[in-house]
Amino acid sequence: MFPYGPVPPEPDLAQSHPGLLPFVEAGTGADAMLAYLQGLLTCAGGVMYVRDLSGRMLLANHGFEQLVGRPVSEIVGRTSSDLFGAEIGEAHLATDRLVLRGERAYITTETALDATGSVRQFVSHKFPLIDPDGVAFAIGGLSIDTTELQDERRAGREARFESETRFRGVFEHAPMGQVFVGMDRLIESVNEPMAAMAGYTVQEMIGRPITDFVPPQFHQTLREEAEALLAGRLVRVSVVRALQHRDGHWVPIRVTSALLPGADGAPRWWVTMVVDITDEERARVELQRAHDGALEAADRLRLLHSIATAANESGTLDELVPHLIETVCAHFGWTGGALVQWPSRGAGRPSCRHETDGAGLSAAAAALAAPRGEEPALLADGPRPLVVVPLGGDDPRGRLALLFAVGDSDEAWHPDLLALVGGECARVIERDAAARRLRQSEARFRSVFDSSPLAMGLTVGDEGTYRDVNEALCQLLGRTREQLVGAAARDIVHPDDAGLIDAAGAAAAAATDGRHCRELRLLHSSGATVIAQVTLVWMDGSEGSRVLLAQIEDITARRTAEAALRQQAERDGLTGLANRTFLARELAAMGAADSSCAVLFIDLDGFKLINDTRGHDVGDEVLVEVAARLRAAVRPSDLVARFGGDEFVVLCRTTGHPDGGEVYATARRVADRIESSLTVPITTKSGAAQVTASIGISGGQVHAESPQELLQRADTAMYQAKRLGKDRHAVYDEHLHEQTVEYQRTEAALRNALDEQRLAVYFQPIVDLADDHVVGFEALVRLRDETGRIVTADRFIAVAEQSGLIVPIGTWVLQESCRTIAALRHRTGRPLTVAVNLAAQQASRADLADTVLHALGDTGLPTEALTLELTESALLEADDATLEQLVRLSELGVVIGLDDFGTGYSSLTYLRRFPVSHLKVDRSFVSGMTSDSGDSTIVRAVVRLASDLGLEWIAEGVETSEQRRELAAMGPGYAQGYLFSRPVPADQLPGLLDRGCELGHRPLDAGPLGRTA
């Protein structure tokens, strides 16, 4: 087979190639030439042709026909320019001239166009045709198509270039050191990280023996490992070594080495990866130091636990001291101790009690003056060293102290530990004093109880039986003392309130101060109801019993007056309609009952013009008349309320299916009647006035958790009615609400929020799980809408990001957060921190670091008090410039945190590449950790990962005590969530800190009334 098709039948050259006819007719040698050319055309492979001296084709074989897609008859007589174009034709003539000039064969590369117009590459063997007289009369050529071969060679070169480029990129930009060592132990190639690790340049290291950078004690090991690799006993070596730095110090490194073969398969290089583990070694040393400290602390805790247990079990100081002296001496290796007491008035010698046998401390105590301070002291000036531990507490017998003989022990005496020991003794002393005070207090209480004008009673037992009552309670209830003592508290309470008795008592027991207030209805002997404010206080009774003191204030007159005022407060003073407060209460009641209704939100068109041009008095006349017409237009069961200004709301109660058409049909009929009633002009003292109404309609079930939802939907539909031309009604449409109203209103609010001071920063506390102590806050931006309501970030952050407003908003939040926390730190003296979220657009800005430092400088907040939290999606978009800025901020002390860890790309590369100091466990995992083992496993994995990497961790969205306990069991960490506090505005932070945010002090399992579950 030829490259361009099968060999055709042998042709008659004189007939098929008329260009040869003159040579055939010449006769001389024609038969031989004919036979020769006949053979060439028949047998030659590739493309064969003959051109005359002017470049015209004289003959061509079947391969040529296949190339150009033409028969021979259309080829003969044409030039290469005719067949392939002028540029290619000129190139062919140029090589023809070279052949003729040298009168010899010539091999060259040429191009031609095939039948499809594609360029093909050829290697052509060209030669002159000589007549019998020795004169060249034509050029012959045989061409072989090498296009595929050329393509393969080009692809090979490109592949080699790409492979080399990839290798250089990995080698030069790797985050670890890499070095290639030849079999002669000389360094042939090294990357920048490796050179920097050793303190040299790349060129300074190349060509030097690798042993120049290895400590001498490792040289023999290095040779043995090389022999093992060469012998095939090891595939790779991964060990911890030391690298000799240029300045002489040793850098701890982790080395992984392997053999790399050359092109012949024989070992060619030692390739080694090197990681600087200086920080890892430093962390190991710190961990050992912490371990030793923990052991010492555990020993001290055992001592304190033993003494505290004995203190709890001891009724008096004399019961405690023998065990205490024995335990302390055993712990410190001291020889003995005693309890010393100095007379209260300073007269007389001190006495010793509970002296250890053979200690001989009585004589030593006689020479000592009573200690003036409260801190333990080491007395080393006498014949033997002594330790004095003053005991506080109220003991009328005089000043007390523990005296210890140190002896020859070289153990440190730890004054802070001994101060705690003295504190336990003081606690026992104070307990005795408290018992005396209690007896005195009981006497005073009896005097106050009997003579107080405030009604009081003491109850005992599970049934709350009255043990004692005063005269004021008897008068309040119209009963005698004999009738009340022995009766149960529920017997004098209104039957509907009887179930509240036990709950109130439990709430008082659960309260930190043992106190709880509750309003109850009591029954007078006449049958009348007495409304009372009852304050319950748990008290210690005799013989360790607990009694409940009830202090009862008659507030019947106050509640009657408040009811009258409330009735006035729920009506609009101008129109007599229900006001917004009453409307909200009705919606809430309907939500609690799972009722359905239709809501019509009405806004008067043209009222503002009347108010502005004719005055507010005329405007009031219009509003009063509109209110009357609305009442006339609705059904008797409907509620009409004035929402504010020229806005009204009609609540149409319905009985049909919440999502049925009857709800909206009813609302439309009411809307039609309202529109019809407003077509008649309104008569005022200044003439007729005309208003119309834009009405928004919504309907459905009122939900208990969001009773205002239907009202908001109707409000949205009302704005749509105004946009459509006013004087009409529009029905709420979810698609309209989401795509048109919400976005536009939110964007408009955001654009004016900074100038109008409608942005606010709320702060949610971050607590230490070890003791629920507040260590800092997360700053959360909020928006106040036109009505002053707070809008959470999830409602407008997406709009801010899409509109580009997130950058100025983020800058303001950063400035405001730093200012607030700096002031709070100054006020409280506490090292509080604040975490501010960074959006991706903020993080990618070139002025990020300058913006942050400017905010810190303006507010005076220390850099270490600020944490910048980025989400994984923000880090995914971060480039090297962003990394440089984050590193710069981190080096200056700003903390970098990774927010919502585990919900995004979750690449561990972030933890190595970026200067992250802590991880935030996403609330989606925390919320399910107590019910979903998978979520719990994920949380534990994230916490373990953070701990292993030396990072802190914070759990978001902690809402139950069960979640808190499980998180605390995972080790040291932090948490935030509604269990501890909702986000609060800046002005509430001092109060939150003053009351401890009720974090570590209130029961974490508190039920609805505060009772511990």
Side-chain angles (χ1 to χ4, degrees), residues 623-871:
L623 292 176
V624 171
E625 178 60 22
V626 169
R629 295 187 185 186
L630 291 178
R631 276 194 293 258
V634 303
R635 303 172 303 170
S637 61
D638 297 337
L639 171 68
V640 182
R642 184 184 178 196
F643 195 73
D646 60 347
E647 295 178 332
F648 298 86
V649 173
V650 175
L651 205 62
C652 297
R653 297 177 174 87
T654 59
T655 58
H657 191 278
D659 299 323
E662 181 59 29
V663 174
Y664 288 99
T666 300
R668 287 190 178 95
R669 288 193 294 270
V670 173
D672 290 339
R673 290 197 296 270
I674 292 174
E675 292 171 352
S676 176
S677 69
L678 295 179
T679 58
V680 179
I682 297 173
T683 302
T684 70
K685 64 183 179 182
S686 66
Q690 182 72 60
V691 293
T692 58
S694 295
I695 305 174
I697 300 174
S698 69
Q701 183 175 348
V702 182
H703 299 290
E705 64 274 12
S706 55
Q708 299 284 331
E709 183 177 359
L710 291 182
L711 186 63
Q712 296 166 359
R713 292 181 176 183
D715 186 22
T716 299
M718 181 272 293
Y719 279 104
Q720 176 68 358
K722 282 189 174 293
R723 280 195 298 275
L724 294 176
K726 303 181 181 179
D727 190 18
R728 66 190 66 220
H729 60 264
V731 178
Y732 170 82
D733 179 84
E734 186 73 30
H735 180 73
L736 167 70
H737 174 71
E738 293 179 354
Q739 292 195 353
T740 306
V741 179
E742 186 64 24
Y743 185 92
Q744 293 178 353
R745 291 175 65 183
T746 302
E747 182 179 2
L750 287 174
R751 292 193 179 279
N752 299 315
L754 287 171
D755 293 338
E756 297 177 359
Q757 297 182 345
R758 286 198 286 110
L759 283 178
V761 180
Y762 275 46
F763 298 85
Q764 186 172 46
I766 300 172
V767 303
D768 190 331
L769 285 171
D771 56 2
D772 290 340
H773 179 67
V774 178
V775 298
F777 300 89
E778 181 178 6
L780 302 169
V781 65
R782 297 290 186 263
L783 171 68
R784 294 187 182 91
D785 63 12
E786 294 82 357
T787 65
R789 292 174 296 189
I790 292 296
V791 180
T792 56
D794 60 334
R795 296 275 301 278
F796 62 85
I797 285 297
V799 176
E801 290 177 341
Q802 294 173 15
S803 61
L805 295 172
I806 191 65
V807 173
I809 290 176
T811 301
W812 181 86
V813 170
L814 175 66
Q815 186 82 19
E816 191 69 11
S817 302
C818 292
R819 182 190 65 78
T820 299
I821 299 305
L824 193 62
R825 286 168 61 100
H826 178 74
R827 173 175 177 172
T828 64
R830 297 173 59 175
L832 299 170
T833 64
V834 62
V836 180
N837 293 288
L838 272 188
Q841 296 180 37
Q842 292 177 270
S844 62
R845 288 181 61 88
D847 60 350
L848 169 64
D850 292 338
T851 300
V852 172
L853 296 176
H854 182 266
L856 293 171
D858 278 357
T859 60
L861 184 69
T863 56
E864 66 272 14
L866 174 63
T867 297
L868 300 178
E869 293 187 348
L870 294 90
T871 61

